[in-house]
Amino acid sequence: MEFLVRAENRLPVDTPAERREELRAAERARAMELRAEGILKRLWRVPGRNATIGLYEAPDAAALHDALSSLAMFPWLDVQVEALAQHPQEKA
Amino acid sequence: MEFLVRAENRLPVDTPAERREELRAAERARAMELRAEGILKRLWRVPGRNATIGLYEAPDAAALHDALSSLAMFPWLDVQVEALAQHPQEKA
Amino acid sequence: MEFLVRAENRLPVDTPAERREELRAAERARAMELRAEGILKRLWRVPGRNATIGLYEAPDAAALHDALSSLAMFPWLDVQVEALAQHPQEKA
Amino acid sequence: MEFLVRAENRLPVDTPAERREELRAAERARAMELRAEGILKRLWRVPGRNATIGLYEAPDAAALHDALSSLAMFPWLDVQVEALAQHPQEKA
Amino acid sequence: MEFLVRAENRLPVDTPAERREELRAAERARAMELRAEGILKRLWRVPGRNATIGLYEAPDAAALHDALSSLAMFPWLDVQVEALAQHPQEKA
Amino acid sequence: MEFLVRAENRLPVDTPAERREELRAAERARAMELRAEGILKRLWRVPGRNATIGLYEAPDAAALHDALSSLAMFPWLDVQVEALAQHPQEKA
Amino acid sequence: MEFLVRAENRLPVDTPAERREELRAAERARAMELRAEGILKRLWRVPGRNATIGLYEAPDAAALHDALSSLAMFPWLDVQVEALAQHPQEKA
Amino acid sequence: MEFLVRAENRLPVDTPAERREELRAAERARAMELRAEGILKRLWRVPGRNATIGLYEAPDAAALHDALSSLAMFPWLDVQVEALAQHPQEKA
Amino acid sequence: MEFLVRAENRLPVDTPAERREELRAAERARAMELRAEGILKRLWRVPGRNATIGLYEAPDAAALHDALSSLAMFPWLDVQVEALAQHPQEKA
Amino acid sequence: MEFLVRAENRLPVDTPAERREELRAAERARAMELRAEGILKRLWRVPGRNATIGLYEAPDAAALHDALSSLAMFPWLDVQVEALAQHPQEKA
């Protein structure tokens, strides 16, 4: 099942550059793993914001939560999840 | 997977009583089937409104959509679906 | 450039079945053309609603508007467009 | 009487791990007591958020408030309560 | 248990005066019964609107719904119910 | 004239217990005076929140503001005031 | 006591010109009376809308409601009232 | 002074094509006049909607209202006006 | 041209009393000057809040901005400006 | 392609004057470069706020994001982007 995931990153502006970079690297590494596992399918930036929109696939909402909460930035993310239903046009 | 489903019924006030009763009976009958199939697990009334909150279980959002759109009142329902994740406290 | 497009279909409930089917068929046919042209890339149903979320690609917002307004249901659609920026993770 | 309770947990991100774990354990222990008393009937996670949706049963809103405010995390919870009415379908 | 009930009256402007008066009289009569039964405790007008705020008392949300839906204007009311908890200052 | 007053208490969670108790006692004492003066007529707790809904009576909005701003917690209250009009049903 | 009154006029677009003009004339005439009585103190147009913002003075919210509901357009007005408190700078 | 003007066109879907075309032509003609007078400076389409965003210049809000209400579609427009202040960067 | 200006004062609660008094005095002094210049025409308190609603007159939005930003409290004000158009009823 | 960009500046009030001035100068310098490159076409102040509305032109949303995130104040900006479509009236 697919989910649309909007995530605003609220990491404080005054986070030291080194800590920020460390978090970004860990975030990127974990995201790459989620892509490899087929959980994170697409990711976009919301222009002008420290925010993303992602297309995820997971067996259910609990598995999705596990994936999202495994991200290094998760404690600072304000996440909104929307369940998506397969459209008949895309069947077969 | 469970879903929380809020449904406002917008059936026009001036719908003839006979048609309204027919729809209500069909709605109730189909809801009972969904209960029997384990898809509709709980249903509450929003006090003061022609609206319900329901707890549904379905394999995914598409199956949920099929269940909801099989209801006789569906064309008049304004539905909001929220995906629910199993809470660790409820495991096992 | 990609766009996220949310479309609520407000076609009146009392539209005659024949007219409704005619519109749906024309909508589907045009959507298929937009897919073939690479403009409509993905389409999901919002569960419980007569609504879709689509991923479109178009040179700019005017071209996107032309694509959307070419749909048979367009006069009844309440559409919200969100511009998406390529995420650095997806480069190359 | 049943209530739908949405609770966002605003515990600051920089809460020391030990303090956080202590609060979580106390929260879980108290929640288990509320379950045993039949006050907390179901609990879900809102996917992607440090938030829950719970189904509670209490004689009235004051008793519900007493239950919620007995939770260890209560000072950091942003809670929205919605009164639920028994649906005629569920009678008998 | 007490409830705060906000009710917007959406009776169409073009309702014939006779029908409107009939509904108003029936509404008033039923409201008086609800007062006599101790269910409707206070009623205010929202200034400038065809709307009221009421203080109700009922054993639970289902009983409140029964009271509200017994009003002659109910089919045209847009109602929002808020559960109220007794404040410690008012105990004893 | 009566007013409906919704007050969210934003006193920081980390306020020392002694200071908090001092403020609560002063708040309660002043509220009791406002009750004695007939200004504060009813007070409810919003279940699950550090918030109240109050029914006040004051000659005008300025007198109401004076009453509210005399409360010990006032600097931390987020207050919404709604003017209430006497309903014809309650006349005489 | 003063009130800020926002009024959106929802008179249907297809109201016959004669009826519309009759209502406008009656509205204007009654507004002039309310000005003469010192109830309507200022009136502005919200640019681009069939809407006004008015400054009213009335003994209380019930008197304000009586004034507003005496306007010819009242059945089509969507009105929001905000109670205003005298500012200390304007005393004396 | 400049204004940002958002206008949603609510002309009913079932307006006869001839009437619609007549209104569009009149709208376009009047808009061209407003451009020539320097009142309408820029106009954009909101992609996916029958809506526009315009940049207008007028001596004040009343003059702006006169310009907007001179448009043929005005009775069906839902307009939001935002006052813009010259930015210091654009001075001289 | 007139403007309706809503200003919420977000000065932190823990601002030292002396600093707060200093700011209030400077605010009052500047407001008095703006009154003398005919820019600030009326000022109300929003009951229950550290907020005001003001009626301003200025040649344009930039001049209004200059007036508002000259207030001592400006760095802490959350301001919403609404452009007002003269109503035909008020024309000489 | 053009974009409407609303940016609220959340730079903390207690930022030292020197740091603030440094940021403002850098912001202005970069904005001037963006103007020279034809990316920033117009900029307005939202009256009463530390906020701007800008008209930008960029090949796509990613290029726009690069331009916005190159501004010195970017870490403190709360930005909302709206894609604009060319209006037929403005063609050729």
Side-chain angles (χ1 to χ4, degrees):
Chain A
M1 177 179 161
E2 290 177 310
F3 297 90
L4 197 66
V5 176
R6 195 171 299 257
E8 295 273 331
N9 190 331
R10 310 285 195 205
L11 188 71
V13 173
D14 58 1
T15 304
E18 195 180 2
R19 174 71 175 132
R20 176 182 297 268
E21 203 37 60
E22 187 181 287
L23 284 165
R24 268 198 200 142
E27 180 85 0
R28 207 176 301 125
R30 184 64 189 125
M32 287 307 167
E33 289 174 6
L34 293 176
R35 282 177 194 267
E37 296 169 27
I39 296 175
L40 173 55
K41 297 171 79 172
R42 290 294 314 273
L43 192 68
W44 298 271
R45 235 188 204 147
V46 182
R49 302 187 71 78
N50 189 0
T52 57
I53 293 178
L55 176 64
Y56 285 76
E57 181 155 18
D60 59 22
L64 175 70
H65 184 81
D66 290 346
L68 293 169
S69 60
S70 73
L71 291 165
M73 289 284 192
F74 182 71
W76 295 275
L77 297 185
D78 183 350
V79 174
Q80 299 287 346
V81 167
E82 188 167 8
L84 298 171
Q86 195 192 24
H87 194 283
Q89 280 181 21
E90 303 215 335
K91 271 175 195 152
Chain B
M1 178 179 159
E2 290 177 311
F3 298 91
L4 196 66
V5 177
R6 196 170 297 258
E8 296 274 330
N9 190 331
R10 312 283 196 207
L11 189 71
V13 174
D14 58 1
T15 304
E18 196 182 0
R19 173 70 175 133
R20 175 183 298 270
E21 204 37 59
E22 188 183 285
L23 282 165
R24 269 200 197 140
E27 178 86 359
R28 205 176 302 122
R30 183 65 189 124
M32 287 306 169
E33 290 174 6
L34 293 177
R35 283 176 192 267
E37 296 168 27
I39 295 174
L40 173 54
K41 297 172 78 172
R42 290 294 311 277
L43 192 67
W44 298 272
R45 235 189 205 147
V46 182
R49 303 186 71 78
N50 189 0
T52 58
I53 293 177
L55 176 64
Y56 285 76
E57 181 157 15
D60 60 21
L64 175 70
H65 184 81
D66 290 345
L68 293 169
S69 59
S70 74
L71 291 164
M73 288 288 191
F74 182 71
W76 296 275
L77 297 185
D78 182 351
V79 174
Q80 300 286 345
V81 166
E82 187 168 6
L84 298 170
Q86 193 192 24
H87 194 281
Q89 280 181 21
E90 302 215 334
K91 271 178 194 147
Chain C
M1 178 180 159
E2 290 177 311
F3 297 90
L4 196 66
V5 176
R6 196 171 297 259
E8 296 274 332
N9 190 331
R10 312 282 195 207
L11 188 72
V13 173
D14 58 1
T15 304
E18 196 182 0
R19 173 71 175 132
R20 176 182 298 270
E21 204 37 60
E22 186 181 287
L23 283 165
R24 269 201 196 136
E27 178 85 0
R28 206 177 301 123
R30 183 66 189 123
M32 286 307 169
E33 290 174 5
L34 293 176
R35 281 176 194 268
E37 296 168 28
I39 296 175
L40 173 55
K41 297 171 79 172
R42 290 293 312 276
L43 191 67
W44 298 272
R45 233 187 206 150
V46 183
R49 302 187 71 78
N50 190 359
T52 58
I53 293 177
L55 176 65
Y56 285 76
E57 182 157 14
D60 60 21
L64 175 70
H65 183 82
D66 290 345
L68 293 168
S69 59
S70 73
L71 292 163
M73 288 285 192
F74 182 71
W76 295 275
L77 298 185
D78 183 350
V79 173
Q80 300 285 345
V81 166
E82 188 168 6
L84 298 171
Q86 194 192 23
H87 194 282
Q89 280 180 22
E90 303 214 335
K91 270 176 196 152
Chain D
M1 176 180 162
E2 290 177 310
F3 297 90
L4 196 66
V5 176
R6 195 170 298 256
E8 295 274 332
N9 191 331
R10 311 284 195 206
L11 188 71
V13 173
D14 59 1
T15 304
E18 196 181 2
R19 175 69 175 132
R20 177 182 296 269
E21 202 38 60
E22 187 182 286
L23 283 165
R24 268 198 199 142
E27 180 85 0
R28 205 175 302 123
R30 184 65 190 124
M32 287 307 168
E33 289 175 5
L34 294 176
R35 281 176 194 268
E37 295 168 28
I39 296 174
L40 173 54
K41 298 171 78 173
R42 288 295 313 274
L43 191 68
W44 298 271
R45 237 190 203 145
V46 182
R49 302 187 70 78
N50 189 0
T52 58
I53 293 177
L55 176 64
Y56 285 76
E57 181 156 18
D60 59 21
L64 175 70
H65 184 82
D66 289 347
L68 293 170
S69 59
S70 74
L71 291 165
M73 289 285 192
F74 182 70
W76 295 276
L77 297 185
D78 182 351
V79 174
Q80 299 287 346
V81 166
E82 187 168 8
L84 298 170
Q86 195 193 24
H87 194 282
Q89 279 181 19
E90 301 214 336
K91 270 177 195 149
Chain E
M1 176 179 160
E2 290 176 310
F3 297 91
L4 196 66
V5 177
R6 196 171 299 257
E8 296 274 331
N9 191 330
R10 310 285 196 207
L11 188 71
V13 173
D14 59 1
T15 304
E18 196 181 0
R19 174 70 175 131
R20 175 182 299 269
E21 203 37 61
E22 188 182 286
L23 283 165
R24 269 199 198 140
E27 179 85 0
R28 206 175 301 123
R30 183 64 189 125
M32 286 306 168
E33 290 174 7
L34 293 176
R35 282 176 193 267
E37 296 168 28
I39 295 174
L40 173 54
K41 298 172 78 172
R42 290 294 311 275
L43 192 68
W44 298 271
R45 233 187 206 150
V46 182
R49 302 187 71 78
N50 189 1
T52 58
I53 292 176
L55 177 65
Y56 284 77
E57 181 156 17
D60 60 21
L64 175 70
H65 184 81
D66 290 346
L68 293 169
S69 59
S70 74
L71 291 164
M73 288 285 191
F74 183 71
W76 295 275
L77 297 185
D78 182 350
V79 173
Q80 300 286 345
V81 166
E82 187 168 7
L84 298 171
Q86 193 192 24
H87 195 282
Q89 279 180 21
E90 302 214 334
K91 271 177 195 150
Chain F
M1 177 180 160
E2 290 177 311
F3 298 91
L4 196 66
V5 176
R6 196 171 298 256
E8 296 273 332
N9 190 332
R10 310 283 195 207
L11 188 71
V13 173
D14 59 1
T15 304
E18 197 182 359
R19 174 69 174 133
R20 176 182 299 268
E21 204 37 61
E22 188 182 286
L23 282 166
R24 269 201 197 138
E27 179 86 359
R28 205 176 302 123
R30 184 64 189 125
M32 287 307 169
E33 289 174 7
L34 293 176
R35 281 176 194 268
E37 295 168 27
I39 296 174
L40 172 55
K41 298 172 79 173
R42 289 294 312 276
L43 192 67
W44 299 271
R45 235 188 204 148
V46 182
R49 302 187 71 77
N50 190 0
T52 58
I53 294 176
L55 176 64
Y56 285 76
E57 181 157 15
D60 60 22
L64 175 71
H65 183 82
D66 290 345
L68 293 169
S69 59
S70 73
L71 291 165
M73 288 285 191
F74 182 70
W76 295 276
L77 297 185
D78 183 350
V79 174
Q80 300 285 346
V81 166
E82 188 168 6
L84 298 171
Q86 195 193 22
H87 194 283
Q89 278 181 22
E90 301 215 335
K91 272 177 194 147
Chain G
M1 176 180 162
E2 290 177 309
F3 297 91
L4 195 67
V5 177
R6 194 171 299 256
E8 295 273 332
N9 190 331
R10 311 283 196 206
L11 188 71
V13 173
D14 59 0
T15 304
E18 196 182 2
R19 174 69 174 131
R20 178 182 297 270
E21 203 36 61
E22 186 182 288
L23 283 166
R24 269 200 198 139
E27 180 85 359
R28 206 175 303 124
R30 184 64 189 124
M32 287 306 169
E33 289 175 7
L34 293 177
R35 282 176 194 267
E37 295 169 28
I39 296 174
L40 173 55
K41 297 172 78 172
R42 289 294 311 274
L43 192 67
W44 298 272
R45 233 188 207 149
V46 182
R49 302 188 71 78
N50 189 359
T52 58
I53 293 177
L55 176 64
Y56 285 77
E57 182 156 16
D60 60 22
L64 175 70
H65 184 82
D66 290 346
L68 293 169
S69 59
S70 73
L71 291 164
M73 289 286 191
F74 182 71
W76 295 275
L77 297 186
D78 183 348
V79 173
Q80 299 287 345
V81 166
E82 187 167 7
L84 297 171
Q86 193 192 24
H87 194 282
Q89 279 180 21
E90 302 215 336
K91 270 176 196 150
Chain H
M1 177 179 160
E2 290 177 310
F3 298 90
L4 195 66
V5 176
R6 195 171 299 257
E8 295 273 332
N9 190 331
R10 312 284 196 206
L11 188 71
V13 173
D14 58 0
T15 304
E18 194 181 3
R19 173 70 175 131
R20 177 183 297 270
E21 203 37 60
E22 185 182 289
L23 283 165
R24 270 202 197 138
E27 179 85 0
R28 206 176 302 123
R30 184 64 189 123
M32 287 307 168
E33 289 174 6
L34 293 177
R35 282 177 193 267
E37 295 169 29
I39 296 175
L40 173 55
K41 297 172 79 172
R42 290 294 312 273
L43 192 67
W44 297 272
R45 232 186 207 150
V46 182
R49 303 187 71 78
N50 190 358
T52 58
I53 294 177
L55 176 65
Y56 285 75
E57 182 157 15
D60 60 21
L64 176 70
H65 184 82
D66 290 345
L68 293 169
S69 60
S70 74
L71 291 164
M73 289 285 191
F74 182 71
W76 295 276
L77 297 185
D78 183 349
V79 174
Q80 300 286 345
V81 167
E82 188 168 6
L84 298 171
Q86 195 193 23
H87 195 283
Q89 280 181 21
E90 303 215 335
K91 269 176 197 151
Chain I
M1 177 181 162
E2 290 177 310
F3 297 90
L4 196 66
V5 177
R6 196 170 299 257
E8 294 273 332
N9 190 331
R10 310 285 196 205
L11 188 71
V13 173
D14 58 1
T15 304
E18 196 182 0
R19 173 72 174 131
R20 176 182 299 270
E21 205 36 61
E22 188 182 286
L23 283 165
R24 268 200 199 139
E27 179 86 358
R28 206 176 302 123
R30 183 66 189 123
M32 286 308 169
E33 289 174 6
L34 293 176
R35 281 176 194 268
E37 296 168 27
I39 296 174
L40 172 55
K41 297 172 79 171
R42 289 295 312 274
L43 192 68
W44 298 272
R45 231 186 208 151
V46 182
R49 302 187 72 78
N50 189 0
T52 57
I53 293 177
L55 176 65
Y56 285 75
E57 181 156 17
D60 60 22
L64 175 71
H65 184 82
D66 290 345
L68 293 169
S69 60
S70 74
L71 291 164
M73 288 285 192
F74 182 71
W76 295 275
L77 297 185
D78 183 350
V79 173
Q80 300 285 348
V81 166
E82 188 167 7
L84 298 171
Q86 194 193 24
H87 194 283
Q89 279 179 23
E90 301 215 335
K91 273 177 195 150
Chain J
M1 177 180 162
E2 290 177 311
F3 297 90
L4 195 66
V5 176
R6 194 171 300 257
E8 295 273 332
N9 190 332
R10 310 286 196 206
L11 188 71
V13 173
D14 58 1
T15 303
E18 195 182 0
R19 174 71 174 131
R20 177 182 298 270
E21 204 36 61
E22 186 181 289
L23 284 165
R24 268 198 199 140
E27 179 85 0
R28 207 176 301 124
R30 183 66 189 123
M32 286 307 168
E33 289 174 7
L34 294 176
R35 281 176 195 268
E37 296 169 28
I39 296 174
L40 173 55
K41 298 171 79 172
R42 290 293 313 273
L43 192 67
W44 298 271
R45 232 186 207 150
V46 182
R49 302 186 71 79
N50 188 0
T52 58
I53 294 177
L55 176 65
Y56 286 75
E57 181 155 17
D60 59 22
L64 176 70
H65 183 81
D66 289 346
L68 293 169
S69 60
S70 73
L71 290 165
M73 289 285 191
F74 182 70
W76 295 275
L77 297 185
D78 183 350
V79 174
Q80 300 286 346
V81 166
E82 188 168 8
L84 298 171
Q86 194 192 25
H87 194 283
Q89 279 180 22
E90 301 214 337
K91 270 178 196 150

mmCIF file of all heavy atoms in Angstrom, chain A residues 64-78:
data_model
loop_
_atom_site.group_PDB
_atom_site.id
_atom_site.type_symbol
_atom_site.label_atom_id
_atom_site.label_comp_id
_atom_site.label_asym_id
_atom_site.label_seq_id
_atom_site.Cartn_x
_atom_site.Cartn_y
_atom_site.Cartn_z
ATOM 1 N N LEU A 64 4.942 1.619 8.046
ATOM 2 C CA LEU A 64 5.331 2.959 7.585
ATOM 3 C C LEU A 64 5.906 3.757 8.748
ATOM 4 O O LEU A 64 6.938 4.432 8.613
ATOM 5 C CB LEU A 64 4.116 3.698 7.009
ATOM 6 C CG LEU A 64 4.396 5.142 6.607
ATOM 7 C CD1 LEU A 64 5.295 5.198 5.374
ATOM 8 C CD2 LEU A 64 3.102 5.912 6.360
ATOM 9 N N HIS A 65 5.245 3.691 9.900
ATOM 10 C CA HIS A 65 5.739 4.422 11.078
ATOM 11 C C HIS A 65 7.146 3.951 11.453
ATOM 12 O O HIS A 65 8.012 4.775 11.782
ATOM 13 C CB HIS A 65 4.789 4.244 12.269
ATOM 14 C CG HIS A 65 5.201 5.030 13.456
ATOM 15 N ND1 HIS A 65 4.922 6.370 13.586
ATOM 16 C CD2 HIS A 65 5.921 4.701 14.561
ATOM 17 C CE1 HIS A 65 5.426 6.826 14.722
ATOM 18 N NE2 HIS A 65 6.048 5.827 15.328
ATOM 19 N N ASP A 66 7.361 2.648 11.385
ATOM 20 C CA ASP A 66 8.700 2.138 11.704
ATOM 21 C C ASP A 66 9.736 2.715 10.748
ATOM 22 O O ASP A 66 10.829 3.114 11.173
ATOM 23 C CB ASP A 66 8.709 0.609 11.648
ATOM 24 C CG ASP A 66 7.905 0.006 12.806
ATOM 25 O OD1 ASP A 66 7.587 0.746 13.761
ATOM 26 O OD2 ASP A 66 7.579 -1.193 12.751
ATOM 27 N N ALA A 67 9.381 2.771 9.466
ATOM 28 C CA ALA A 67 10.329 3.315 8.486
ATOM 29 C C ALA A 67 10.614 4.791 8.777
ATOM 30 O O ALA A 67 11.762 5.225 8.836
ATOM 31 C CB ALA A 67 9.764 3.151 7.077
ATOM 32 N N LEU A 68 9.553 5.578 8.989
ATOM 33 C CA LEU A 68 9.728 7.022 9.208
ATOM 34 C C LEU A 68 10.509 7.283 10.494
ATOM 35 O O LEU A 68 11.373 8.162 10.542
ATOM 36 C CB LEU A 68 8.361 7.712 9.264
ATOM 37 C CG LEU A 68 7.589 7.710 7.943
ATOM 38 C CD1 LEU A 68 6.156 8.174 8.158
ATOM 39 C CD2 LEU A 68 8.276 8.607 6.914
ATOM 40 N N SER A 69 10.190 6.513 11.534
ATOM 41 C CA SER A 69 10.835 6.777 12.822
ATOM 42 C C SER A 69 12.264 6.250 12.854
ATOM 43 O O SER A 69 12.987 6.488 13.819
ATOM 44 C CB SER A 69 9.994 6.212 13.968
ATOM 45 O OG SER A 69 9.835 4.839 13.831
ATOM 46 N N SER A 70 12.696 5.572 11.792
ATOM 47 C CA SER A 70 14.090 5.127 11.731
ATOM 48 C C SER A 70 14.996 6.205 11.124
ATOM 49 O O SER A 70 16.209 6.047 11.092
ATOM 50 C CB SER A 70 14.180 3.846 10.889
ATOM 51 O OG SER A 70 14.014 4.121 9.508
ATOM 52 N N LEU A 71 14.400 7.280 10.657
ATOM 53 C CA LEU A 71 15.183 8.370 10.054
ATOM 54 C C LEU A 71 15.868 9.192 11.145
ATOM 55 O O LEU A 71 15.288 9.452 12.199
ATOM 56 C CB LEU A 71 14.273 9.278 9.222
ATOM 57 C CG LEU A 71 13.724 8.647 7.937
ATOM 58 C CD1 LEU A 71 12.573 9.474 7.380
ATOM 59 C CD2 LEU A 71 14.843 8.516 6.886
ATOM 60 N N ALA A 72 17.091 9.622 10.871
ATOM 61 C CA ALA A 72 17.878 10.358 11.872
ATOM 62 C C ALA A 72 17.204 11.672 12.274
ATOM 63 O O ALA A 72 17.317 12.124 13.408
ATOM 64 C CB ALA A 72 19.276 10.628 11.317
ATOM 65 N N MET A 73 16.506 12.290 11.350
ATOM 66 C CA MET A 73 15.865 13.582 11.631
ATOM 67 C C MET A 73 14.488 13.418 12.279
ATOM 68 O O MET A 73 13.852 14.426 12.609
ATOM 69 C CB MET A 73 15.672 14.365 10.325
ATOM 70 C CG MET A 73 16.943 14.904 9.708
ATOM 71 S SD MET A 73 17.540 16.374 10.608
ATOM 72 C CE MET A 73 18.798 16.950 9.419
ATOM 73 N N PHE A 74 14.017 12.187 12.431
ATOM 74 C CA PHE A 74 12.637 11.960 12.853
ATOM 75 C C PHE A 74 12.212 12.799 14.072
ATOM 76 O O PHE A 74 11.106 13.367 14.070
ATOM 77 C CB PHE A 74 12.366 10.483 13.114
ATOM 78 C CG PHE A 74 10.957 10.203 13.509
ATOM 79 C CD1 PHE A 74 9.931 10.311 12.572
ATOM 80 C CD2 PHE A 74 10.614 9.859 14.808
ATOM 81 C CE1 PHE A 74 8.606 10.081 12.932
ATOM 82 C CE2 PHE A 74 9.291 9.629 15.172
ATOM 83 C CZ PHE A 74 8.292 9.741 14.232
ATOM 84 N N PRO A 75 13.066 12.920 15.118
ATOM 85 C CA PRO A 75 12.599 13.678 16.284
ATOM 86 C C PRO A 75 12.222 15.123 15.956
ATOM 87 O O PRO A 75 11.488 15.757 16.712
ATOM 88 C CB PRO A 75 13.804 13.633 17.235
ATOM 89 C CG PRO A 75 14.581 12.414 16.820
ATOM 90 C CD PRO A 75 14.383 12.314 15.329
ATOM 91 N N TRP A 76 12.730 15.660 14.834
ATOM 92 C CA TRP A 76 12.450 17.055 14.484
ATOM 93 C C TRP A 76 11.443 17.166 13.346
ATOM 94 O O TRP A 76 11.127 18.257 12.903
ATOM 95 C CB TRP A 76 13.747 17.767 14.097
ATOM 96 C CG TRP A 76 14.685 17.869 15.235
ATOM 97 C CD1 TRP A 76 14.693 18.837 16.205
ATOM 98 C CD2 TRP A 76 15.729 16.964 15.570
ATOM 99 N NE1 TRP A 76 15.685 18.585 17.107
ATOM 100 C CE2 TRP A 76 16.345 17.445 16.753
ATOM 101 C CE3 TRP A 76 16.216 15.785 15.001
ATOM 102 C CZ2 TRP A 76 17.404 16.788 17.368
ATOM 103 C CZ3 TRP A 76 17.276 15.139 15.605
ATOM 104 C CH2 TRP A 76 17.863 15.634 16.771
ATOM 105 N N LEU A 77 10.959 16.041 12.836
ATOM 106 C CA LEU A 77 10.036 16.098 11.693
ATOM 107 C C LEU A 77 8.589 16.255 12.155
ATOM 108 O O LEU A 77 8.161 15.611 13.115
ATOM 109 C CB LEU A 77 10.150 14.817 10.848
ATOM 110 C CG LEU A 77 11.498 14.540 10.179
ATOM 111 C CD1 LEU A 77 11.392 13.311 9.277
ATOM 112 C CD2 LEU A 77 11.978 15.741 9.377
ATOM 113 N N ASP A 78 7.872 17.129 11.477
ATOM 114 C CA ASP A 78 6.418 17.235 11.661
ATOM 115 C C ASP A 78 5.801 16.563 10.432
ATOM 116 O O ASP A 78 5.841 17.122 9.335
ATOM 117 C CB ASP A 78 6.025 18.715 11.757
ATOM 118 C CG ASP A 78 4.543 18.891 12.020
ATOM 119 O OD1 ASP A 78 3.785 17.910 11.946
ATOM 120 O OD2 ASP A 78 4.128 20.032 12.298
#
